[in-house]
Amino acid sequence: MKQHYRAGIAGATGYTGAELVRLLQNHPHLHVQWITSESSAGKLLSDVHNVPWNIPLIPLEQGFARADEVDVVFLCLPHGESITAAQRFIATGVTVVDLSADFRLKDPAAYRRWYGKEHSAPAMLDDFVYGLCEVNREQLRGAHRIANPGCYPTSVNLGLYPLARAGWLGDHVIVD
């Protein structure tokens, strides 16, 4: 197993991206190679957020050009924008972890219902493993396309999973 991985983060100045940078800066086996921001390209991350890391922010287009410098790209882009970015990064052979909702749902109709628009690459939905490791640990081993679960679904799924495994839940569960 490889000891150190190089990561790129697309969309590093939004809430999710900034939190991910913070987490990865303290990770013993990941090094942040580059980060992108469309609105703050040319600045340092420390110019945008009160952080101690002077990491240059580059445009997403440069991230695509530098995909060969990383082992994994984390997409922290708005819902709907990760689809095209995922397609472009996947074409380079890099592992993609999407933190938006673009690959969490396997059903394009459910995506349309929840996000109010058509999924532009429904054929890709089955290529992504839902990244809830407590449930999909084996499928995640060696996966190169991962849909990171959201915080609310994670809390609900982890709470209900033992009941579902025991057969105590019906076909549909509504959590509101």
Side-chain angles (χ1 to χ4, degrees):
M1 184 172 159
K2 192 172 183 174
Q3 291 299 316
H4 294 283
Y5 296 90
R6 301 164 301 155
I9 301 173
T13 55
Y15 175 76
T16 302
E19 280 300 302
L20 183 61
V21 171
R22 183 184 62 77
L23 291 168
L24 295 185
Q25 286 299 100
N26 294 309
H27 196 288
H29 301 290
L30 279 170
H31 169 73
V32 177
Q33 193 75 14
W34 50 256
I35 59 177
T36 77
S37 172
E38 293 305 290
S39 61
S40 299
K43 296 180 180 178
L44 299 174
L45 182 62
S46 58
D47 294 333
V48 179
H49 291 292
N50 186 19
V51 297
W53 311 296
N54 295 320
I55 306 170
L57 294 160
I58 62 173
L60 182 57
E61 201 59 43
Q62 282 185 22
F64 296 132
R66 294 177 58 184
D68 63 335
E69 297 176 15
V70 297
D71 303 299
V72 60
V73 173
F74 293 91
L75 302 178
C76 302
L77 302 170
H79 305 314
E81 292 184 28
S82 285
I83 297 168
T84 301
Q87 290 170 320
R88 290 189 63 185
F89 281 118
I90 287 168
T92 71
V94 69
T95 294
V96 172
V97 179
D98 180 31
L99 280 77
S100 81
D102 286 351
F103 298 100
R104 291 178 186 159
L105 303 174
K106 296 294 183 192
D107 180 5
Y111 183 88
R112 181 178 54 252
R113 190 168 52 251
W114 284 104
Y115 298 104
K117 57 184 162 186
E118 296 292 325
H119 196 285
S120 62
M124 292 178 67
L125 293 173
D126 284 335
D127 296 341
F128 278 75
V129 175
Y130 192 66
L132 192 59
C133 62
E134 292 83 357
V135 176
N136 292 328
R137 187 171 311 279
E138 290 307 313
Q139 297 94 320
L140 286 164
R141 292 185 200 283
H144 294 284
R145 297 172 186 154
I146 300 168
N148 193 69
C151 53
Y152 297 130
T154 296
S155 66
V156 170
N157 287 331
L158 290 178
L160 293 178
Y161 184 64
L163 301 174
R165 279 188 44 178
W168 292 359
L169 300 179
D171 290 339
H172 300 304
V173 175
I174 297 172
V175 178
D176 187 2

